[in-house]
Amino acid sequence: MNLLNKISVWFIAIVLLVTPISMYISYISIKKRLDNVEIERLKAVNTYVAAQLKKGETPEKTSQGLPISIRQVKSSILPSSNPEIIHTCLANEKAARNECKIQINSYITTDNKVYKISSYSYITSTDEIMKGMLNALFLKIILITTIVFVTARILSRYILKPFHHAIDGIYQFNIQKKERLDLLPTSTNEFKKLNEFLQLMTDKAIEDYASVKEFSENASHEVQTPLAVIQSKIELLAETEINGQQAALLTDIQNSIDKLSRINRSLILLTKLNNHEFITNEELRFCRVEKETINAYSDHLILKNINLNRTCERDVYVKIHPTLAEILLNNLLSNAIRHNLTNGNIEIVLTKKFFRICNTGLPPDIPTQELFKRFKKSNQCNESIGLGLSIVKQICEVNAFPIHYDFADGWHSITIYFHTTENHQFFIPTKAFNETVLAMENA
């Protein structure tokens, strides 16, 4: 429910709460006022008739249109209150409505005689008053509800137009285009403050993005250049006459330079992933990229004598940037080879719903989910820089692919889901795993 509808419902709820209370107060006030007016009129009639009796005049049977009754009574039956007010409600079938009778009995003494003067009148009963007020209340609520919802739509269309335009602008804002946010002018102070804040925030984001991008590009260029120079100098030095100890030192330097170069490229890639520089709207034939990646690592598999079993469905298309797909598969496969055992096994399963790669290996010395963090690595391979799985995790987050890493029964298993489901059945390798995957359709 949007804000305007919530405000409308809240306003109507207040009306529904307050109106019956105010109606009851009005009913009590009106009823009391009607009774008091009629009682005062009847008292005035009785007073006028009493004055006539004291003067010795013969009163009429009616006075001011009201019936008058005069009779002599014994002083022993006088009531405690004078005048006496009697309020009686009865059903008047002839009039087809309920009425209430108000009777005023006044007692006077003249010539040592006590007279009872009675006058009465009929007024509308409380039921009739309540029915009329309820009818008015029902029509009032319908009218208020209709007006509130109609005016709310008008309010949303005109007064809230700058707000909706700002929300749409934020939704379509793309930091890579480096275009300033275009907001509608408004006379509402709250919307002015919102527009100023959004404009300042997006301008700052564009400026920071440009600075970070420039820094990453400069860092990539400036760091790789001296590394290349150092590497070439080491190669030249290796061609000169050196002893065995010097050769070992040069080898260590070369390995450190290669590692530093890989770290630099990986960090630059992570920065680009964080900046969402790999956006695509096309679906990639993932099975073809996966097959090409396996072929590229065939020599590494032979060198380490690793047996690879591959099961792939046909025509698996995934919405991912081609460069990211290659990096993802390269990191996963190289990680499975690097951390595998000699004469070990790798199992790959690719379907339209998920990609899974499993490899044999030593158990990790830290929780598997910790390995997705930067520079987190197990003690299985000293050559690793600790950024491969971090890059895999970042690629999955950019493309909204859930990823899970599990280790059980000597198998490392990484599963990437192409479509989010409520309940993932994570894979745990068993002894019957080979028979299961080989039963699937081969690509």
PDB file of all heavy atoms in Angstrom, residues 2 55 69 81 99 101-102 107 127 154 166 184 198 228 245 272 296 310 344 378 386:
ATOM      1  N   ASN A   2       0.639   2.176  -0.937  1.00  0.00           N
ATOM      2  CA  ASN A   2       1.479   3.360  -1.001  1.00  0.00           C
ATOM      3  C   ASN A   2       1.115   4.354   0.095  1.00  0.00           C
ATOM      4  O   ASN A   2       0.125   4.200   0.821  1.00  0.00           O
ATOM      5  CB  ASN A   2       1.380   4.032  -2.384  1.00  0.00           C
ATOM      6  CG  ASN A   2      -0.055   4.410  -2.745  1.00  0.00           C
ATOM      7  OD1 ASN A   2      -0.835   4.834  -1.890  1.00  0.00           O
ATOM      8  ND2 ASN A   2      -0.407   4.266  -4.000  1.00  0.00           N
ATOM      9  N   LYS A  55     -56.986  34.438  40.740  1.00  0.00           N
ATOM     10  CA  LYS A  55     -57.801  35.639  40.508  1.00  0.00           C
ATOM     11  C   LYS A  55     -59.287  35.320  40.512  1.00  0.00           C
ATOM     12  O   LYS A  55     -60.122  36.226  40.387  1.00  0.00           O
ATOM     13  CB  LYS A  55     -57.424  36.268  39.167  1.00  0.00           C
ATOM     14  CG  LYS A  55     -56.036  36.863  39.158  1.00  0.00           C
ATOM     15  CD  LYS A  55     -55.734  37.442  37.782  1.00  0.00           C
ATOM     16  CE  LYS A  55     -54.327  38.034  37.719  1.00  0.00           C
ATOM     17  NZ  LYS A  55     -54.036  38.576  36.372  1.00  0.00           N
ATOM     18  N   SER A  69     -55.742  20.246  32.476  1.00  0.00           N
ATOM     19  CA  SER A  69     -56.624  19.514  33.382  1.00  0.00           C
ATOM     20  C   SER A  69     -56.488  20.121  34.777  1.00  0.00           C
ATOM     21  O   SER A  69     -55.361  20.246  35.284  1.00  0.00           O
ATOM     22  CB  SER A  69     -56.266  18.016  33.403  1.00  0.00           C
ATOM     23  OG  SER A  69     -56.993  17.353  34.420  1.00  0.00           O
ATOM     24  N   SER A  81     -42.058  16.880  45.190  1.00  0.00           N
ATOM     25  CA  SER A  81     -41.575  17.922  44.278  1.00  0.00           C
ATOM     26  C   SER A  81     -42.749  18.644  43.638  1.00  0.00           C
ATOM     27  O   SER A  81     -43.764  18.040  43.309  1.00  0.00           O
ATOM     28  CB  SER A  81     -40.697  17.303  43.190  1.00  0.00           C
ATOM     29  OG  SER A  81     -41.426  16.354  42.437  1.00  0.00           O
ATOM     30  N   GLU A  99     -43.474   7.908  20.275  1.00  0.00           N
ATOM     31  CA  GLU A  99     -43.523   9.242  20.857  1.00  0.00           C
ATOM     32  C   GLU A  99     -43.291   9.159  22.356  1.00  0.00           C
ATOM     33  O   GLU A  99     -43.507   8.118  22.979  1.00  0.00           O
ATOM     34  CB  GLU A  99     -44.861   9.923  20.588  1.00  0.00           C
ATOM     35  CG  GLU A  99     -45.098  10.238  19.119  1.00  0.00           C
ATOM     36  CD  GLU A  99     -46.438  10.923  18.905  1.00  0.00           C
ATOM     37  OE1 GLU A  99     -47.388  10.665  19.679  1.00  0.00           O
ATOM     38  OE2 GLU A  99     -46.526  11.721  17.957  1.00  0.00           O
ATOM     39  N   LYS A 101     -44.298  11.195  25.986  1.00  0.00           N
ATOM     40  CA  LYS A 101     -45.243  12.139  26.602  1.00  0.00           C
ATOM     41  C   LYS A 101     -44.584  12.776  27.812  1.00  0.00           C
ATOM     42  O   LYS A 101     -44.089  12.091  28.692  1.00  0.00           O
ATOM     43  CB  LYS A 101     -46.516  11.413  27.018  1.00  0.00           C
ATOM     44  CG  LYS A 101     -47.531  12.297  27.726  1.00  0.00           C
ATOM     45  CD  LYS A 101     -48.733  11.493  28.157  1.00  0.00           C
ATOM     46  CE  LYS A 101     -49.746  12.368  28.900  1.00  0.00           C
ATOM     47  NZ  LYS A 101     -50.903  11.571  29.367  1.00  0.00           N
ATOM     48  N   ILE A 102     -44.606  14.100  27.822  1.00  0.00           N
ATOM     49  CA  ILE A 102     -44.101  14.845  28.973  1.00  0.00           C
ATOM     50  C   ILE A 102     -45.295  15.525  29.647  1.00  0.00           C
ATOM     51  O   ILE A 102     -46.014  16.310  29.015  1.00  0.00           O
ATOM     52  CB  ILE A 102     -43.052  15.890  28.560  1.00  0.00           C
ATOM     53  CG1 ILE A 102     -41.817  15.200  27.955  1.00  0.00           C
ATOM     54  CG2 ILE A 102     -42.643  16.743  29.763  1.00  0.00           C
ATOM     55  CD1 ILE A 102     -40.762  16.160  27.506  1.00  0.00           C
ATOM     56  N   TYR A 107     -49.077  22.040  41.669  1.00  0.00           N
ATOM     57  CA  TYR A 107     -50.032  22.082  42.789  1.00  0.00           C
ATOM     58  C   TYR A 107     -50.027  23.487  43.379  1.00  0.00           C
ATOM     59  O   TYR A 107     -48.955  24.039  43.702  1.00  0.00           O
ATOM     60  CB  TYR A 107     -49.642  21.053  43.859  1.00  0.00           C
ATOM     61  CG  TYR A 107     -49.685  19.625  43.349  1.00  0.00           C
ATOM     62  CD1 TYR A 107     -48.580  19.054  42.740  1.00  0.00           C
ATOM     63  CD2 TYR A 107     -50.839  18.861  43.491  1.00  0.00           C
ATOM     64  CE1 TYR A 107     -48.616  17.747  42.262  1.00  0.00           C
ATOM     65  CE2 TYR A 107     -50.881  17.556  43.034  1.00  0.00           C
ATOM     66  CZ  TYR A 107     -49.772  17.005  42.420  1.00  0.00           C
ATOM     67  OH  TYR A 107     -49.824  15.709  41.950  1.00  0.00           O
ATOM     68  N   ASP A 127     -35.622   7.049  19.842  1.00  0.00           N
ATOM     69  CA  ASP A 127     -35.382   6.112  18.737  1.00  0.00           C
ATOM     70  C   ASP A 127     -35.463   6.820  17.397  1.00  0.00           C
ATOM     71  O   ASP A 127     -34.655   6.578  16.490  1.00  0.00           O
ATOM     72  CB  ASP A 127     -36.383   4.956  18.789  1.00  0.00           C
ATOM     73  CG  ASP A 127     -36.174   4.071  20.003  1.00  0.00           C
ATOM     74  OD1 ASP A 127     -35.063   4.117  20.570  1.00  0.00           O
ATOM     75  OD2 ASP A 127     -37.109   3.348  20.381  1.00  0.00           O
ATOM     76  N   ILE A 154      -6.100  13.106  -6.977  1.00  0.00           N
ATOM     77  CA  ILE A 154      -5.720  14.408  -7.528  1.00  0.00           C
ATOM     78  C   ILE A 154      -4.435  14.894  -6.866  1.00  0.00           C
ATOM     79  O   ILE A 154      -3.525  15.424  -7.528  1.00  0.00           O
ATOM     80  CB  ILE A 154      -6.865  15.425  -7.321  1.00  0.00           C
ATOM     81  CG1 ILE A 154      -8.117  14.960  -8.079  1.00  0.00           C
ATOM     82  CG2 ILE A 154      -6.446  16.811  -7.784  1.00  0.00           C
ATOM     83  CD1 ILE A 154      -9.336  15.825  -7.835  1.00  0.00           C
ATOM     84  N   ALA A 166      11.207  12.053  -8.876  1.00  0.00           N
ATOM     85  CA  ALA A 166      12.510  11.825  -8.231  1.00  0.00           C
ATOM     86  C   ALA A 166      12.764  10.337  -8.022  1.00  0.00           C
ATOM     87  O   ALA A 166      13.888   9.854  -8.234  1.00  0.00           O
ATOM     88  CB  ALA A 166      12.559  12.576  -6.896  1.00  0.00           C
ATOM     89  N   LEU A 184      12.353  17.577 -11.146  1.00  0.00           N
ATOM     90  CA  LEU A 184      11.361  18.616 -11.421  1.00  0.00           C
ATOM     91  C   LEU A 184      11.404  19.694 -10.338  1.00  0.00           C
ATOM     92  O   LEU A 184      11.554  19.387  -9.153  1.00  0.00           O
ATOM     93  CB  LEU A 184       9.955  18.006 -11.472  1.00  0.00           C
ATOM     94  CG  LEU A 184       9.631  17.103 -12.664  1.00  0.00           C
ATOM     95  CD1 LEU A 184       8.216  16.566 -12.527  1.00  0.00           C
ATOM     96  CD2 LEU A 184       9.774  17.857 -13.978  1.00  0.00           C
ATOM     97  N   LEU A 198      19.112  14.468  -3.034  1.00  0.00           N
ATOM     98  CA  LEU A 198      19.343  13.507  -4.109  1.00  0.00           C
ATOM     99  C   LEU A 198      20.347  14.047  -5.119  1.00  0.00           C
ATOM    100  O   LEU A 198      21.203  13.300  -5.614  1.00  0.00           O
ATOM    101  CB  LEU A 198      18.018  13.169  -4.798  1.00  0.00           C
ATOM    102  CG  LEU A 198      16.997  12.386  -3.967  1.00  0.00           C
ATOM    103  CD1 LEU A 198      15.712  12.181  -4.755  1.00  0.00           C
ATOM    104  CD2 LEU A 198      17.560  11.047  -3.530  1.00  0.00           C
ATOM    105  N   ALA A 228      56.825  -4.857 -15.387  1.00  0.00           N
ATOM    106  CA  ALA A 228      57.337  -5.357 -16.670  1.00  0.00           C
ATOM    107  C   ALA A 228      58.812  -5.023 -16.843  1.00  0.00           C
ATOM    108  O   ALA A 228      59.602  -5.838 -17.352  1.00  0.00           O
ATOM    109  CB  ALA A 228      56.515  -4.763 -17.813  1.00  0.00           C
ATOM    110  N   GLN A 245      73.371 -20.117  -6.452  1.00  0.00           N
ATOM    111  CA  GLN A 245      72.672 -19.358  -5.409  1.00  0.00           C
ATOM    112  C   GLN A 245      71.992 -18.133  -5.997  1.00  0.00           C
ATOM    113  O   GLN A 245      70.861 -17.800  -5.649  1.00  0.00           O
ATOM    114  CB  GLN A 245      73.678 -18.948  -4.330  1.00  0.00           C
ATOM    115  CG  GLN A 245      73.036 -18.247  -3.140  1.00  0.00           C
ATOM    116  CD  GLN A 245      74.043 -17.902  -2.065  1.00  0.00           C
ATOM    117  OE1 GLN A 245      75.250 -18.143  -2.244  1.00  0.00           O
ATOM    118  NE2 GLN A 245      73.574 -17.370  -0.955  1.00  0.00           N
ATOM    119  N   LYS A 272      36.386  -3.200 -10.724  1.00  0.00           N
ATOM    120  CA  LYS A 272      35.464  -3.058 -11.857  1.00  0.00           C
ATOM    121  C   LYS A 272      34.147  -3.782 -11.592  1.00  0.00           C
ATOM    122  O   LYS A 272      33.082  -3.310 -11.984  1.00  0.00           O
ATOM    123  CB  LYS A 272      36.120  -3.608 -13.128  1.00  0.00           C
ATOM    124  CG  LYS A 272      37.290  -2.763 -13.630  1.00  0.00           C
ATOM    125  CD  LYS A 272      37.868  -3.323 -14.922  1.00  0.00           C
ATOM    126  CE  LYS A 272      38.999  -2.448 -15.440  1.00  0.00           C
ATOM    127  NZ  LYS A 272      39.567  -2.968 -16.715  1.00  0.00           N
ATOM    128  N   ALA A 296      41.079 -25.675 -22.489  1.00  0.00           N
ATOM    129  CA  ALA A 296      42.259 -24.849 -22.236  1.00  0.00           C
ATOM    130  C   ALA A 296      43.088 -25.392 -21.084  1.00  0.00           C
ATOM    131  O   ALA A 296      44.315 -25.175 -21.018  1.00  0.00           O
ATOM    132  CB  ALA A 296      41.832 -23.411 -21.953  1.00  0.00           C
ATOM    133  N   ARG A 310      32.703 -34.949 -17.002  1.00  0.00           N
ATOM    134  CA  ARG A 310      31.877 -33.784 -17.337  1.00  0.00           C
ATOM    135  C   ARG A 310      30.491 -34.225 -17.777  1.00  0.00           C
ATOM    136  O   ARG A 310      30.346 -35.106 -18.622  1.00  0.00           O
ATOM    137  CB  ARG A 310      32.540 -32.980 -18.460  1.00  0.00           C
ATOM    138  CG  ARG A 310      31.699 -31.843 -19.027  1.00  0.00           C
ATOM    139  CD  ARG A 310      32.490 -31.089 -20.098  1.00  0.00           C
ATOM    140  NE  ARG A 310      31.706 -30.046 -20.724  1.00  0.00           N
ATOM    141  CZ  ARG A 310      31.033 -30.189 -21.862  1.00  0.00           C
ATOM    142  NH1 ARG A 310      31.086 -31.364 -22.489  1.00  0.00           N
ATOM    143  NH2 ARG A 310      30.338 -29.198 -22.366  1.00  0.00           N
ATOM    144  N   GLY A 344      43.920 -37.217  -8.556  1.00  0.00           N
ATOM    145  CA  GLY A 344      42.609 -36.912  -7.998  1.00  0.00           C
ATOM    146  C   GLY A 344      41.515 -36.897  -9.053  1.00  0.00           C
ATOM    147  O   GLY A 344      41.708 -37.336 -10.201  1.00  0.00           O
ATOM    148  N   SER A 378      43.181 -21.471   2.249  1.00  0.00           N
ATOM    149  CA  SER A 378      43.562 -22.609   3.083  1.00  0.00           C
ATOM    150  C   SER A 378      45.067 -22.859   2.926  1.00  0.00           C
ATOM    151  O   SER A 378      45.749 -22.204   2.129  1.00  0.00           O
ATOM    152  CB  SER A 378      42.746 -23.844   2.680  1.00  0.00           C
ATOM    153  OG  SER A 378      43.035 -24.918   3.542  1.00  0.00           O
ATOM    154  N   GLY A 386      44.718 -15.926  -2.824  1.00  0.00           N
ATOM    155  CA  GLY A 386      43.557 -15.733  -1.974  1.00  0.00           C
ATOM    156  C   GLY A 386      42.501 -14.805  -2.539  1.00  0.00           C
ATOM    157  O   GLY A 386      41.685 -14.270  -1.785  1.00  0.00           O
TER     158      GLY A 386
END
